[in-house]
Amino acid sequence: MGSTPRGPRPTLTRNARPATFTVDAHDETGALVPTPIAGEHPLTLYVDKREIVTLMTLGAAPEALAIGFLRNQRLVGSIDEIAAVQVDWDVNAVAVTTHHGLADLEARTKKRTATTGCGQGTVFGDLMADIESIHLDEAMRVDEETLFGLLNAVRVHESIYKQAGAVHGCALALGSEILTFVEDVGRHNAVDAIAGWMWLEGVDGRDKIFYTTGRLTSEMVIKAAQMGIPVLVSRSGLTKMGHEVAQQVGLTMIGRAVNRHYLLFTGAHRLVKSGERAHA
Amino acid sequence: MGSTPRGPRPTLTRNARPATFTVDAHDETGALVPTPIAGEHPLTLYVDKREIVTLMTLGAAPEALAIGFLRNQRLVGSIDEIAAVQVDWDVNAVAVTTHHGLADLEARTKKRTATTGCGQGTVFGDLMADIESIHLDEAMRVDEETLFGLLNAVRVHESIYKQAGAVHGCALALGSEILTFVEDVGRHNAVDAIAGWMWLEGVDGRDKIFYTTGRLTSEMVIKAAQMGIPVLVSRSGLTKMGHEVAQQVGLTMIGRAVNRHYLLFTGAHRLVKSGERAHA
């Protein structure tokens, strides 16, 4: 939906926060251990001066996060609606300005679904609304060796997690090549930031793989599907509703993926053994 | 706040969902692997017939979850306000009935903070409001060996995680003894379910330890503090805001706790080396 921008890019700040901070801790031997920990900052999102929500974020990509949140919550239909995104950490706020205002904003922000995850997520509107309008690319294929290559690329990628833990990482990939990699204290923020990046860069999801360290819950699957991405890979497990939604939208869901191991749950036709015919 | 019930226990259903479901997957050898995965169900919370939020939950303790959500969101001040909690999975709903209605419900549910975590959590009202009114027990002490005993008790505890992954677990403990252990697909749901259990059972938090598999973010720390619990332990890491809030409320925060290892970040006075004087 609206993935190729037709107008000028929005005016953006580029206001990332430091990713880690060091605090003192004592370990079990009594030794003083300076420990890097992940940053976490409140960021209140305003659209045309109207307060929408406050997100708690690592702050690595706040502009993309704001755009992606609006995209994935279906409050904005295309990047062309957005005139400016301005982050100001002095007031912990990001102000999004649209060209023509958002129709029905009040009604659309009314129904609050707190979705799965470490926090209680919020997906405005009906979680499953419009799901039947999602069509993922059926012809897209991923070679198994390409999958392993991507898992390795993720493994070696420099990351905050390796230093400080307490963050989730998501990557958008074309084959085994990582196009963008975002970490946040909230996995859903990382997904949203990638959705925002895709809109800003005019990147379509149809031939991409989405990797996450986080669990494949219903919200994760719905977001990936809304982003047009047919293949979703996680190092972790999945939930029953995530599985059901993946089946319903025809998404390829691969869990417990690490090194050369994985479990393929749905959409088996897209994963191809190198040199052999497709699974199932 | 209101931890010893003065009136009759609310009328409750006891309507847990099955915790795991088995689905087929194929692994990298092509073998068919029947795989247990965690359940995830929408549960819409109504208070006096007014829709509040929809939580995505494992469904292990939905009545306690509803009560604890209301407690931790500060929408209800004591268990005595609650007349009944009735879960009906046919309509994915839990109906909470109060004795006298909730004052200012509309205003109090107005400000939405999507907190950290895999999802975007929601804490109605100002996240940090009333934080200065929190006073945690300063005299409470935990023996280091008791901490290790608790970590071991958690390790051996039967759990959904061991079967199906994709869930977070939380335990409320007195010393090394687990009083209640709750898992949910959302870590914040697990915390809330424990808060609800404490209210139902008239259990005070002041001499308890709270253990979580999840990260120690600002929301986790605030909830533990609101529940009156002075010691918070996690297998995982922490965020900067979690650390700041812990310092502000004077909570003892122990991260990366596993086997006989841990990092003690704040509130060092409560952790005592067995047979020796307190840290710091």
Side-chain angles (χ1 to χ4, degrees):
Chain A
M1 174 166 55
S3 67
T4 305
R6 289 180 296 271
R9 189 183 169 103
T11 305
L12 299 180
T13 47
R14 288 179 64 88
N15 249 344
R17 298 291 287 163
T20 63
F21 297 82
T22 300
V23 297
D24 284 340
H26 286 85
D27 72 13
E28 65 281 356
T29 71
L32 179 67
V33 183
T35 304
I37 60 177
E40 182 191 6
H41 314 275
L43 183 66
T44 301
L45 170 63
Y46 296 85
V47 178
D48 299 328
K49 297 193 188 338
R50 185 197 183 92
E51 182 177 343
I52 303 295
V53 73
T54 299
L55 301 172
M56 299 301 293
T57 173
L58 183 69
E63 295 83 5
L65 171 60
I67 293 169
F69 178 88
L70 294 171
R71 174 183 183 179
N72 280 341
Q73 302 290 348
R74 304 200 316 283
L75 296 173
V76 172
S78 110
I79 190 67
D80 296 315
E81 295 183 41
I82 297 175
V85 181
Q86 288 153 325
V87 170
D88 184 345
W89 289 111
D90 286 344
V91 292
N92 286 112
V94 51
V96 173
T97 316
T98 65
H99 288 295
H100 305 298
L102 297 187
D104 301 327
L105 186 61
E106 176 135 25
R108 291 161 80 183
T109 55
K110 202 173 160 61
K111 182 169 163 61
R112 290 180 290 275
T113 299
T115 53
T116 301
C118 298
Q120 287 137 333
T122 300
V123 177
F124 294 116
D126 192 341
L127 189 73
M128 299 294 282
D130 302 333
I131 202 172
E132 290 169 17
S133 67
I134 293 174
H135 300 291
L136 300 175
D137 193 310
E138 289 299 330
M140 190 253 194
R141 294 291 181 267
V142 178
D143 217 60
E144 194 187 50
E145 286 300 323
T146 300
L147 172 64
F148 296 149
L150 173 58
L151 296 180
N152 193 58
V154 166
R155 186 181 63 80
V156 303
H157 197 282
E158 274 308 307
S159 90
I160 301 159
Y161 181 79
K162 290 178 185 173
Q163 291 181 56
V167 297
H168 271 299
C170 293
L172 183 73
L174 178 63
S176 59
E177 180 195 351
I178 294 174
L179 301 178
T180 187
F181 184 93
V182 179
E183 289 175 300
D184 207 321
V185 286
R187 171 190 52 166
H188 285 285
N189 286 349
V191 179
D192 287 351
I194 286 182
W197 179 87
M198 290 169 72
W199 261 10
L200 285 170
E201 303 302 319
V203 170
D204 191 288
R206 68 174 50 239
D207 56 349
K208 308 299 188 298
I209 302 170
F210 195 95
Y211 171 91
T212 176
T213 56
R215 296 162 290 153
L216 298 177
T217 61
S218 56
E219 188 173 355
M220 285 296 295
V221 176
I222 287 170
K223 283 186 175 182
Q226 284 178 171
M227 291 154 71
I229 302 168
V231 180
L232 181 55
V233 180
S234 168
R235 188 176 69 194
S236 302
L238 61 156
T239 66
K240 181 171 186 291
M241 186 162 288
H243 185 266
E244 286 172 355
V245 174
Q247 284 181 314
Q248 190 171 349
V249 300
L251 176 140
T252 299
M253 183 187 223
I254 299 170
R256 305 223 163 275
V258 64
N259 297 332
R260 296 180 71 83
H261 302 287
Y262 62 82
L263 288 175
L264 172 62
F265 287 93
T266 59
H269 57 292
R270 291 194 186 88
L271 186 64
V272 183
K273 284 280 194 192
S274 309
E276 295 174 15
R277 62 184 176 78
H279 283 252
Chain B
M1 175 164 58
S3 66
T4 305
R6 290 180 295 272
R9 190 183 169 100
T11 304
L12 299 180
T13 46
R14 287 179 65 89
N15 250 344
R17 297 291 286 164
T20 62
F21 298 81
T22 299
V23 297
D24 283 340
H26 287 85
D27 72 11
E28 64 281 357
T29 71
L32 180 66
V33 183
T35 304
I37 60 176
E40 182 191 6
H41 314 275
L43 182 67
T44 302
L45 169 63
Y46 295 86
V47 177
D48 299 327
K49 297 193 187 340
R50 185 198 181 92
E51 182 178 341
I52 304 294
V53 73
T54 298
L55 301 172
M56 298 302 294
T57 172
L58 183 69
E63 295 84 5
L65 171 58
I67 293 169
F69 178 88
L70 294 172
R71 173 183 183 179
N72 280 340
Q73 301 291 347
R74 304 198 318 282
L75 296 173
V76 172
S78 111
I79 190 68
D80 295 317
E81 294 182 42
I82 297 175
V85 181
Q86 288 155 324
V87 170
D88 184 344
W89 288 112
D90 286 345
V91 292
N92 287 112
V94 52
V96 174
T97 316
T98 66
H99 288 295
H100 305 296
L102 297 188
D104 301 326
L105 185 62
E106 178 136 25
R108 292 162 81 183
T109 55
K110 202 175 160 62
K111 183 170 162 61
R112 291 180 291 274
T113 299
T115 54
T116 302
C118 299
Q120 286 137 336
T122 301
V123 177
F124 293 115
D126 192 338
L127 190 69
M128 299 294 283
D130 302 332
I131 202 172
E132 289 169 19
S133 65
I134 293 173
H135 300 290
L136 301 173
D137 193 311
E138 287 301 330
M140 190 254 195
R141 293 292 181 267
V142 178
D143 217 62
E144 194 185 50
E145 286 301 324
T146 300
L147 172 64
F148 296 149
L150 173 58
L151 296 180
N152 193 58
V154 167
R155 186 180 62 81
V156 304
H157 197 284
E158 275 308 307
S159 89
I160 300 156
Y161 182 78
K162 290 179 185 173
Q163 293 178 57
V167 296
H168 271 299
C170 293
L172 183 74
L174 178 63
S176 58
E177 180 194 352
I178 295 173
L179 302 178
T180 188
F181 184 92
V182 178
E183 289 175 299
D184 207 320
V185 285
R187 172 190 53 164
H188 285 286
N189 286 349
V191 179
D192 287 350
I194 287 183
W197 178 87
M198 291 170 71
W199 261 9
L200 285 168
E201 304 302 320
V203 171
D204 191 287
R206 66 174 51 237
D207 55 348
K208 308 301 189 298
I209 302 170
F210 194 95
Y211 171 90
T212 176
T213 55
R215 295 163 290 150
L216 297 177
T217 60
S218 56
E219 188 173 357
M220 285 296 298
V221 176
I222 287 171
K223 283 185 174 182
Q226 284 177 172
M227 291 155 71
I229 301 168
V231 179
L232 181 54
V233 181
S234 168
R235 188 175 68 192
S236 302
L238 62 156
T239 65
K240 182 170 185 292
M241 185 162 289
H243 185 267
E244 288 173 353
V245 175
Q247 284 181 312
Q248 190 172 347
V249 300
L251 177 140
T252 298
M253 182 188 224
I254 300 170
R256 305 221 163 277
V258 64
N259 297 332
R260 296 181 70 84
H261 301 289
Y262 62 82
L263 287 176
L264 171 63
F265 287 92
T266 59
H269 56 293
R270 293 194 185 88
L271 186 64
V272 182
K273 285 280 193 192
S274 309
E276 295 174 14
R277 62 183 175 80
H279 283 252

